Amino acid sequence: EVQLVESGGGLVQPGGSLRLSCAASGFVFDDYGMTWVRQAPGKGPEWVASITFNGNREYYAESMKGRFTISRDNAKNTLDLRLGSLRSDDTAIYYCAKTLFIGTVPSRFDVWGQGTQVTVSS
């Protein structure tokens, strides 16, 4: 059974930082790209960042560039997202997702984790 378990969320002040993690099991982790998606209260899912199967390429939503960093450790079957310069509109549930790239485009997200809550507030 494919499982993805996110952790690391919490309450942080504006301008602060967090590191989120995703532990993967039940599939060959380094055969697949991975993605972070978030969902703010009352809004639909928003793509945050993706990374290729071997970690050689990273892709970010425009508003995340320079603030967030996606990475993976294939030896540990883990995916990370480092969040910096956080602001109130980053408040959301953050999910990791197993990803199929079509060419260079992250296109299919067939399994998601349960999510971890990030709240940015003073």
Side-chain angles (χ1 to χ4, degrees):
E1 178 183 1
V2 174
Q3 291 194 21
L4 300 170
V5 181
E6 298 94 336
S7 62
L11 177 65
V12 63
Q13 293 183 330
S17 301
L18 282 176
R19 188 182 76 174
L20 310 182
S21 294
C22 172
S25 61
F27 66 103
V28 181
F29 183 65
D30 60 6
D31 277 354
Y32 292 90
M34 293 292 293
T35 293
W36 288 97
V37 178
R38 71 185 187 185
Q39 189 163 16
K43 297 184 178 180
E46 180 184 21
W47 176 68
V48 175
S50 294
I51 190 167
T52 55
F53 71 98
N54 58 6
N56 285 350
R57 300 288 187 186
E58 304 163 21
Y59 304 89
Y60 298 92
E62 189 65 30
S63 64
M64 320 303 173
K65 290 179 180 178
R67 299 194 302 124
F68 296 178
T69 302
I70 189 171
S71 62
R72 65 191 297 161
D73 186 339
N74 285 348
K76 297 180 179 179
N77 285 10
T78 58
L79 175 77
D80 282 6
L81 183 69
R82 291 172 169 81
L83 312 174
S85 300
L86 286 164
R87 53 203 193 202
S88 60
D89 61 0
D90 292 319
T91 295
I93 301 174
Y94 285 72
Y95 302 89
C96 63
K98 175 173 171 282
T99 304
L100 179 67
F101 277 76
I102 299 177
T104 61
V105 180
S107 299
R108 298 176 184 172
F109 316 97
D110 58 358
V111 181
W112 294 35
Q114 86 290 342
T116 187
Q117 176 72 49
V118 172
T119 302
V120 184
S121 178
S122 60

